Amino acid sequence: MIWLRSALDGFVELFYPRLCVGCGEKLFKDEQYVCLQCRSKLPLIREHEVPDNFVEQHLYGRPFIESATALLVYGKETTVQRMVHEIKYHGAKELARSLGTMLGRQLREGRFSSVDAIVPVPLHPKRLKWRGYNQSEWFAMGLSDEMEVPVRTDWVKRVVETSTQTKKSVEERWSNVQGIFELCEDAVPEDMAGKHLLIVDDVITTGATAMACAAAFSSVENVRLSVASIAAVNKG
């Protein structure tokens, strides 16, 4: 049956070839979503250990965030934007997880090595039902694979369904997400007390969503909070 499956895969590939989301060229058999050439050109962020790096600059004035970083620089009409689009709207969950493993390998030591749990920014139940998965959770799973700390999806929930942030101004983005996250009813604050939690989002543009999620933990005693994402906009 293996030969039959291989033949069927070859037949499908002939009429529906898998294309790189970056350059549009046909992918080789061992490539997934992004060809090796485009992958080698990805704008990786290597400032995880640098205080006040450009990701953290999004969060200035938010003193309860300890550290922040991202894997990639986000830009319009780029391979990174197209990758995020595939992850969010075309079911590329495994791409999100693979990017999580890439970042996780880099965060196992240094400022993020003390992370006790990873908390993906939750979707509203209606959005989760429509999409079928939470892209931030899949990214968090990849981080967890490498950092060897648990993913907690049972500590915080989204209680308000908001409109998309894409076309909003900075002020509108912050206003749009105030008070939209709460601790889950069954969450035990004592279980989080004194812990270092890593809040995980897909893209940091202003940091408003990640910070709103982090704010849900503000009543937890001695909690330490950091932020990580697949990509972040470089304002500089």
Side-chain angles (χ1 to χ4, degrees), residues 89-225:
Y89 304 114
H90 293 157
K93 299 178 290 187
E94 291 297 340
L95 175 57
R97 188 166 189 164
S98 69
L99 294 174
T101 62
M102 287 177 63
L103 183 58
R105 293 189 195 105
Q106 301 172 42
L107 301 187
R108 288 183 296 190
E109 299 179 357
R111 297 194 298 168
F112 295 87
S113 62
S114 62
V115 166
D116 297 297
I118 302 169
V119 181
V121 171
L123 295 177
H124 188 273
K126 289 183 179 179
R127 179 64 60 87
L128 181 60
K129 183 177 180 180
W130 174 78
R131 184 170 293 164
Y133 61 93
N134 179 356
Q135 69 278 2
S136 295
E137 181 178 346
W138 278 79
F139 179 61
M141 289 162 60
L143 285 165
S144 176
D145 292 340
E146 293 295 328
M147 299 176 72
E148 298 182 344
V149 294
V151 175
R152 299 303 302 250
T153 60
D154 57 338
W155 280 356
V156 65
K157 63 180 180 178
R158 190 166 189 149
V159 294
V160 178
E161 185 180 17
T162 56
S163 55
T164 180
Q165 297 275 76
T166 304
K167 296 182 179 181
K168 288 181 168 57
S169 67
V170 173
E171 293 77 13
E172 289 171 334
R173 284 172 180 264
W174 284 97
S175 176
N176 192 46
V177 296
Q178 296 307 302
I180 68 172
F181 299 102
E182 294 179 358
L183 293 184
C184 296
E185 289 84 353
D186 296 333
V188 181
E190 288 75 15
D191 292 342
M192 314 165 200
K195 297 289 197 303
H196 185 183
L197 308 184
L198 183 63
I199 307 298
V200 171
D201 203 358
D202 51 8
V203 177
I204 292 176
T205 304
T206 64
T209 303
M211 294 304 300
C213 183
F217 295 93
S218 60
S219 63
V220 178
E221 185 176 359
N222 296 323
V223 71
R224 299 164 57 200
L225 299 169

Side-chain angles (χ1 to χ4, degrees), residues 57-111:
Q57 290 172 19
H58 287 289
L59 313 179
Y60 278 168
R62 314 290 164 175
F64 54 97
I65 293 299
E66 188 167 302
S67 306
T69 194
L71 177 66
L72 301 164
V73 179
Y74 185 89
K76 293 183 178 180
E77 304 300 325
T78 64
T79 296
V80 174
Q81 184 189 48
R82 289 187 281 272
M83 289 168 64
V84 170
H85 194 271
E86 287 293 310
I87 290 169
K88 293 180 70 170
Y89 304 114
H90 293 157
K93 299 178 290 187
E94 291 297 340
L95 175 57
R97 188 166 189 164
S98 69
L99 294 174
T101 62
M102 287 177 63
L103 183 58
R105 293 189 195 105
Q106 301 172 42
L107 301 187
R108 288 183 296 190
E109 299 179 357
R111 297 194 298 168

